[in-house]
Coordinates of all heavy atoms in Angstrom, one line a residue:
D196 N 11.6 8.9 -3.4 CA 12.4 7.9 -2.6 C 11.6 6.7 -2.1 O 12.1 5.7 -1.9 CB 13.0 8.6 -1.5 CG 14.2 9.5 -1.9 OD1 14.6 9.4 -3.1 OD2 14.7 10.2 -1.0
A197 N 10.2 6.9 -2.0 CA 9.4 5.8 -1.4 C 9.4 4.6 -2.4 O 9.2 3.5 -1.9 CB 8.0 6.3 -1.3
F198 N 9.7 4.8 -3.7 CA 9.7 3.7 -4.6 C 11.1 3.1 -4.8 O 11.3 2.2 -5.6 CB 9.2 4.2 -5.9 CG 7.7 4.4 -5.9 CD1 7.1 5.5 -5.3 CD2 6.8 3.5 -6.5 CE1 5.7 5.7 -5.2 CE2 5.5 3.6 -6.5 CZ 4.9 4.7 -5.8
E199 N 12.1 3.7 -4.1 CA 13.5 3.1 -3.9 C 14.1 2.7 -5.3 O 14.9 1.8 -5.4 CB 13.4 1.8 -3.1 CG 12.7 2.0 -1.7 CD 12.6 0.7 -1.0 OE1 13.6 0.0 -0.8 OE2 11.5 0.4 -0.5
G200 N 13.9 3.6 -6.3 CA 14.6 3.4 -7.6 C 14.0 2.3 -8.4 O 14.5 1.9 -9.5
R201 N 12.9 1.7 -8.0 CA 12.1 0.7 -8.8 C 12.9 -0.4 -9.5 O 12.7 -0.7 -10.6 CB 11.3 1.5 -10.0 CG 10.5 2.6 -9.5 CD 9.6 3.2 -10.5 NE 10.3 3.5 -11.8 CZ 10.9 4.7 -12.0 NH1 11.1 5.6 -11.0 NH2 11.5 4.9 -13.2
A202 N 13.7 -1.0 -8.7 CA 14.5 -2.2 -9.2 C 13.7 -3.4 -9.1 O 13.0 -3.7 -8.1 CB 15.8 -2.3 -8.4
P203 N 13.8 -4.3 -10.2 CA 13.0 -5.6 -10.1 C 13.5 -6.4 -8.9 O 14.6 -6.4 -8.6 CB 13.5 -6.2 -11.5 CG 13.8 -5.1 -12.3 CD 14.5 -4.1 -11.5
G204 N 12.5 -7.1 -8.4 CA 12.8 -8.0 -7.3 C 13.0 -7.4 -5.9 O 13.6 -8.0 -5.0
T205 N 12.7 -6.1 -5.8 CA 12.9 -5.4 -4.5 C 11.6 -4.8 -4.0 O 10.6 -4.9 -4.7 CB 13.9 -4.2 -4.8 OG1 13.2 -3.2 -5.6 CG2 15.1 -4.6 -5.5
P206 N 11.6 -4.3 -2.8 CA 10.3 -3.7 -2.3 C 9.9 -2.6 -3.2 O 8.7 -2.3 -3.3 CB 10.7 -3.2 -0.9 CG 11.8 -4.1 -0.5 CD 12.6 -4.5 -1.7
G207 N 10.8 -1.9 -3.9 CA 10.5 -0.9 -4.8 C 9.6 -1.4 -6.0 O 8.7 -0.7 -6.4
E208 N 9.8 -2.6 -6.4 CA 8.9 -3.2 -7.4 C 7.5 -3.4 -6.9 O 6.6 -3.1 -7.6 CB 9.4 -4.6 -7.9 CG 8.4 -5.3 -8.7 CD 8.9 -6.5 -9.5 OE1 10.1 -6.8 -9.5 OE2 8.0 -7.2 -10.1
E209 N 7.4 -3.9 -5.6 CA 6.1 -4.1 -5.1 C 5.3 -2.8 -5.1 O 4.1 -2.8 -5.4 CB 6.2 -4.7 -3.7 CG 6.9 -6.1 -3.6 CD 6.1 -7.1 -4.4 OE1 4.8 -7.1 -4.3 OE2 6.7 -7.9 -5.1

Side-chain angles (χ1 to χ4, degrees):
D196 283 354
F198 287 74
E199 304 177 53
R201 306 190 310 279
T205 69
E208 167 168 354
E209 295 300 318

